[in-house]
Amino acid sequence: MNRKTLVLPAVAGLLAPLLAACGTGEDSGAIVVGTTDQFVATGDAPAPLDPAFAYDTGTWNILRQTVQTLLHVPRGGGQPVPEAAESCAFSDTVSESYRCVLRPGLTFADGAPLTAEDVKYSIDRVRKIDADNGAAALLSTVDTVETKGDREIVFHLNAPDATFPYKLSTPVAGILDKDKYAPDKLREGFQVDGSGPYTLTAQHDGDRATRFVFTRNPRYKGDITPQNDKVELRAYADAGAMGKALESKDIDMMARSLSQQQVRDLTEKPKTGIRVAEVPGLEIRYLGFNTKAPTVQEKAVRQAMAAAIDRGALVNRVYGPTAEPLYSLIPSSVSGHSTPFYEEYGDGDRDRAAALLRKANVKTPVKLTLHYTTDHYGAETAQEFETLKNQLIASELFDVTVKGTGWSEFRPAQKRGDYAVYGLGWFPDYPDPDNYIAPFLDADNFLGTPYANAAVRDHLLPQSRRQADRAAATPVYRQIQKIVAQDVPVLPLWQGKQYVAARDDINGVDYALTTSSDLLLWELSRAATA
């Protein structure tokens, strides 16, 4: 891998005053939040914070504070509501034309006017760049974008898409100033300019950002009311270091991600001045396959893995009460959920796995390497993959090794197809069953998988998006999930719960992390002292 370190002298100069004030958040009055998300700019991914490229929870949580979208999902969830827009609605009966009107007087943080042309420019830019990270796939149903005057935008879709309002609420649809973002080139580094509730200053060490300071944007006009003037987000190498920072009062809150042991300790033995809260979560973890790789090209190998792995034992050993087994791409708390992997393969069924391989004349033991990322999903990932390895070896049907790699190298290698089997997690872009299916099975999907099923892509997915009543699409999603269980292009493992921990003088903690793992830093405030 040709890894290039970015040199960002302009940004480094801007950050000089901040470096001296890098103790606790008390010197600046900022509320300080810790995260284990990592923010790295490399030769393979030089523009981690460009909305045309960013497509992971950590980078989206930076963009949500700084870049406005036409809509956003309100506190507590539900249907998207206007944010930069004054109003938005389908203007036809078949969900193929979507019209928005901007709020009057919108400007970017530097005072430049924000108009309908900026919205069109931003959407067209994402589609034109079509970065290989998969974000542009969220806008795949857009045919053309039309503007009418300075405030009206009409999206003409190439197929009915009842999920389109949700897609406009994600950072990929963030509104950008064309003077700051080139039409056909990604903006490298860690600088972000937008019209959101905060402006951003980033601190970095070489190619790795370590600290983000969000300062309330006085020019912001939208549906959000920030409860603070400044928030700082600090990146920690692991949950242990983040936990020590909370105990020493270097940070006020830790959000993503607490380890299973930390949750247990803080719940069973509460610490003075710290409270922990469970937040409903929609995260899933799964194994992905390069279905053209020789070791897993035979479907029976993937099916046998689905039978041999014992999800219940995996969860109990590694994650305890913070997770539960998953037998579908769609988690149990989302409409359309079913359990086809359990019905098809059971759980830890060695005899069924052996029969599948025997019927396909596959020689055993099948030699596999399971790849995982060491610094993206939490401290337990290494133990999870050791457990998976041991389960598969214990079946005597597989000869397995595991290999861990940092995210900045892991993700580009996975997209290139270097790994036959790899572990990934998914935090939904929006809380709809479509977002647990399309990113894995639609054209230009997040995984870049060679697997393709014409029935799903050309018929079932479009059929599901015609249903304005999303519950009415449940039979279609169950049909898709059966196909996934039969072909096993991905193998669901577990779904997780979320926890946050904070000092007891911080308000708004219960609202600051959504079920989709979106950080809403504007919800936080510090309690007044007597």
Side-chain angles (χ1 to χ4, degrees), residues 372-411:
Y372 70 94
T373 176
T374 57
D375 58 355
H376 199 67
Y377 295 119
E380 292 90 0
T381 309
Q383 185 185 0
E384 175 183 350
F385 274 76
E386 281 297 318
T387 302
L388 287 170
K389 179 187 79 172
N390 292 337
Q391 287 186 357
L392 291 169
I393 289 175
S395 74
E396 300 181 336
L397 301 171
F398 298 92
D399 179 7
V400 180
T401 58
V402 297
K403 184 175 182 181
T405 308
W407 180 254
S408 62
E409 296 184 17
F410 173 90
R411 176 66 170 136

Side-chain angles (χ1 to χ4, degrees), residues 350-380:
R350 191 266 178 200
D351 292 341
R352 193 176 308 195
L356 287 162
L357 294 173
R358 188 166 53 248
K359 183 177 180 180
N361 295 316
V362 175
K363 183 179 178 181
T364 60
V366 178
K367 191 170 184 178
L368 297 173
T369 299
L370 308 183
H371 293 266
Y372 70 94
T373 176
T374 57
D375 58 355
H376 199 67
Y377 295 119
E380 292 90 0

Side-chain angles (χ1 to χ4, degrees), residues 59-322:
T59 55
W60 271 22
N61 280 334
I62 302 300
L63 294 172
R64 288 187 191 279
Q65 323 305 319
T66 51
V67 178
Q68 225 173 348
T69 48
L70 291 169
L71 302 160
H72 77 127
V73 176
R75 173 201 278 186
Q79 295 289 324
V81 298
E83 211 287 73
E86 182 178 72
S87 64
C88 283
F90 282 105
S91 54
D92 63 357
T93 58
V94 292
S95 302
E96 286 187 331
S97 180
Y98 196 73
R99 175 181 178 270
C100 291
V101 177
L102 291 174
R103 296 176 186 269
L106 289 177
T107 69
F108 291 102
D110 64 0
L114 188 161
T115 69
E117 280 298 326
D118 294 299
V119 177
K120 173 178 168 58
Y121 177 85
S122 302
I123 298 296
D124 288 346
R125 177 179 181 270
V126 171
R127 298 168 62 223
K128 182 176 183 178
I129 292 175
D130 194 17
D132 66 359
N133 223 22
L138 285 172
L139 303 176
S140 63
T141 55
V142 175
D143 185 23
T144 58
V145 184
E146 178 186 4
T147 61
K148 297 180 179 180
D150 287 341
R151 294 176 54 204
E152 185 176 350
I153 310 103
V154 180
F155 297 92
H156 300 284
L157 308 183
N158 54 35
D161 187 1
T163 69
F164 191 64
Y166 279 112
K167 295 171 181 178
L168 288 183
S169 73
T170 66
V172 72
I175 306 169
L176 306 176
D177 184 343
K178 56 181 173 292
D179 292 334
K180 304 288 180 64
Y181 291 82
D184 54 1
K185 181 181 178 182
L186 293 172
R187 183 177 183 177
E188 298 184 359
F190 301 108
Q191 195 170 355
V192 180
D193 289 283
S195 58
Y198 295 99
T199 59
L200 172 68
T201 305
Q203 176 179 314
H204 63 92
D205 181 7
D207 61 2
R208 186 176 298 271
T210 56
R211 180 179 180 225
F212 299 93
V213 177
F214 301 97
T215 303
R216 188 169 183 166
N217 174 12
R219 292 190 172 97
Y220 169 73
K221 294 180 181 179
D223 193 52
I224 294 165
T225 304
Q227 301 300 307
N228 58 69
D229 291 326
K230 185 176 289 187
V231 184
E232 179 183 328
L233 187 68
R234 292 185 191 171
Y236 288 88
D238 53 56
M242 181 171 62
K244 290 178 181 177
L246 183 68
E247 290 186 35
S248 64
K249 300 184 180 181
D250 281 346
I251 63 175
D252 298 299
M253 172 180 163
M254 55 179 183
R256 285 178 40 83
S257 299
L258 281 69
S259 70
Q260 182 265 141
Q261 190 60 50
Q262 284 176 322
V263 172
R264 183 169 290 169
D265 289 347
L266 289 169
T267 302
E268 296 177 357
K269 300 176 182 178
K271 296 182 181 294
T272 302
I274 296 175
R275 57 194 173 95
V276 63
E278 180 182 334
V279 180
L282 297 176
E283 170 191 8
I284 68 170
R285 297 284 180 87
Y286 59 92
L287 293 178
F289 298 96
N290 176 355
T291 53
K292 287 187 176 180
T295 53
V296 295
Q297 188 173 23
E298 172 59 62
K299 180 167 62 175
V301 173
R302 308 192 300 270
Q303 292 174 328
M305 290 178 67
I309 290 172
D310 188 334
R311 295 164 184 79
L314 171 69
V315 167
N316 288 336
R317 178 175 179 78
V318 182
Y319 294 101
T322 66

Side-chain angles (χ1 to χ4, degrees), residues 10-28:
V11 178
L14 288 173
L15 291 169
L18 295 176
L19 291 169
C22 197
T24 69
E26 296 174 0
D27 52 5
S28 63

